[in-house]
Amino acid sequence: MQPLSNATLPRPSARIQAISLRQLRFFTALAESANFSRAAERMTVSQPALSAAIRQIEEHMGLRLFDRSTHHVALTEAGAAFLPHARRLLTTADNAFVDMSDAATRGKAVVRIGAIPSAIPAAADAVAKLGLERADLCLHLCDGKNDALMADLRSGALDLVIGVLGRAEDDLEATLVMEDEMMLVAPADHPLADMTTLPWSALEGGEIVHFTGGSIGELSSAAMRQNNLSPSQRFRVDQVGSLFGLVGAGLALGVIPRLYARGYETDRIKLIPLIAPSIRRKLMLFQRVKLRQEHPAAWELGSVLGLALSGILSPKP
């Protein structure tokens, strides 16, 4: 990080807080375009006005955020570190403006929830129930891949995320919703279908279909390698319905987390927990550490949503 001058050392928070949203938009536009002319055009201002705004931010920060040359603009180390925070603040501000309008016109606070696809049915049930109980809230729900949802949570585009546990993150809090075990999906008339549990080794010699991508693919592939099992070369699937179609037709055995199978149980297939090894992924409710200060209504909903999901997804006796 390069100081603007040797005299610029402490950076009082009041000076940083004086940076405006408009200046932050100029900063992100220049960071993304790496060109003063394109950034000025995008922001519909003159280049001198853009340059002045960038200088003002750097003066407030006491740091040089861009390296400049005649034909090149690049973020400094300090600028690269500053960028995700600027984006998060702008996203939060944009959401806040929408929420203020919604609160003023409809009297409701907006809470944005994201969930991985396998958790969407349970999340939808919970949102429907909580929506009836909380008439003061407008609940938004979307699905997405785990990594994308977590990025949206950090940026402020989402308030709560139902996803799977990865590496620990200092800026996020996580509450366990359930442990999702790996299951064998077998045709109802298959010799293995009457078993209460099965070791992975019992699948030897079968046509085995599973999702090869993402964290689920990594988990199931590792277990199969440990037991000298190979996935089917004849059948490959990426969708739950496809896997159930193959199994229901008697063409293959499937390996899938129990959560994916929720709502798909039919009289044509049976679900059997796989053991030796037992493989479980942790389904969590994530939120930003500072959500309570940033969005009290979303923070309050988070604890209720976690309990509702646990109740919906708990195995029935």
Side-chain angles (χ1 to χ4, degrees):
M1 298 183 184
Q2 277 187 303
L4 286 176
S5 71
N6 292 333
T8 306
L9 290 176
R11 300 188 299 277
S13 61
R15 297 194 69 193
I16 298 175
Q17 291 169 7
I19 298 172
S20 69
L21 293 177
R22 181 175 172 81
Q23 288 171 328
L24 288 179
R25 295 190 198 282
F26 288 165
F27 167 77
T28 57
L30 183 57
E32 291 165 1
S33 63
N35 181 280
F36 271 96
S37 177
R38 288 196 295 268
E41 182 179 354
R42 171 176 162 183
M43 299 305 299
T44 63
V45 297
S46 66
Q47 283 188 231
L50 177 66
S51 297
I54 299 301
R55 283 196 302 273
Q56 289 167 357
I57 297 175
E58 291 179 325
E59 288 170 1
H60 284 306
M61 294 292 296
L63 293 167
R64 191 176 300 282
L65 302 177
F66 292 95
D67 283 326
R68 306 160 174 84
S69 65
T70 305
H71 302 292
H72 181 71
V73 179
L75 286 168
T76 63
E77 183 181 347
F82 183 63
L83 180 60
H85 298 288
R87 284 174 170 157
R88 180 168 64 87
L89 183 57
L90 289 172
T91 301
T92 301
D94 289 341
N95 286 346
F97 291 137
V98 173
D99 295 352
M100 284 188 289
S101 174
D102 210 57
T105 58
R106 301 171 59 189
K108 294 187 176 186
V110 176
V111 179
R112 297 171 176 82
I113 305 164
I116 56 175
S118 58
I120 279 287
D125 287 347
V127 165
K129 178 176 182 292
L130 294 174
L132 293 175
E133 297 174 355
R134 294 294 305 269
D136 58 320
L137 298 179
C138 179
L139 305 182
H140 293 202
L141 179 63
C142 69
D143 71 354
K145 294 182 178 179
N146 199 70
D147 288 348
L149 292 174
M150 300 303 280
D152 284 345
L153 181 63
R154 291 190 184 87
S155 74
L158 293 172
D159 301 309
L160 302 165
V161 162
I162 305 154
V164 292
L165 182 64
R167 64 181 186 277
E169 300 288 353
D170 292 340
D171 58 338
L172 300 179
E173 293 179 349
T175 303
L176 179 66
V177 173
M178 67 168 293
E179 291 192 349
D180 191 17
E181 62 184 333
M182 297 294 288
M183 309 289 290
L184 175 69
V185 187
D189 57 356
H190 194 278
L192 298 177
D194 291 331
M195 303 296 291
T196 55
T197 62
L198 278 171
W200 285 81
S201 58
L203 310 188
E204 184 176 1
E207 291 281 353
I208 306 170
V209 292
H210 72 128
F211 301 147
T212 56
S215 60
I216 294 304
E218 293 173 5
L219 288 172
S220 56
S221 293
M224 291 172 70
R225 285 194 300 270
Q226 290 175 24
N227 289 279
N228 297 315
L229 301 173
S230 299
S232 174
Q233 299 301 306
R234 297 174 57 203
F235 308 115
R236 296 176 182 270
V237 298
D238 285 320
Q239 304 296 326
V240 180
S242 302
L243 185 146
F244 274 76
L246 286 171
V247 174
L251 294 175
L253 298 171
V255 173
I256 198 170
R258 181 187 289 274
L259 191 56
Y260 276 87
R262 187 174 182 268
Y264 276 91
E265 291 88 347
T266 71
D267 56 3
R268 300 180 64 191
I269 59 108
K270 290 291 183 66
L271 299 174
I272 306 105
L274 286 165
I275 60 172
S278 293
I279 297 177
R280 297 173 182 267
R281 62 173 187 164
K282 295 180 184 295
L283 186 73
M284 314 290 290
L285 179 68
F286 295 94
Q287 63 185 42
R288 292 184 300 281
V289 169
K290 296 182 178 180
L291 184 66
R292 186 173 188 174
Q293 292 77 34
E294 296 173 352
H295 195 337
W299 176 83
E300 182 183 346
L301 182 75
S303 58
V304 181
L305 177 60
L307 291 173
L309 287 168
S310 294
I312 292 169
L313 294 172
S314 295
K316 301 298 186 290

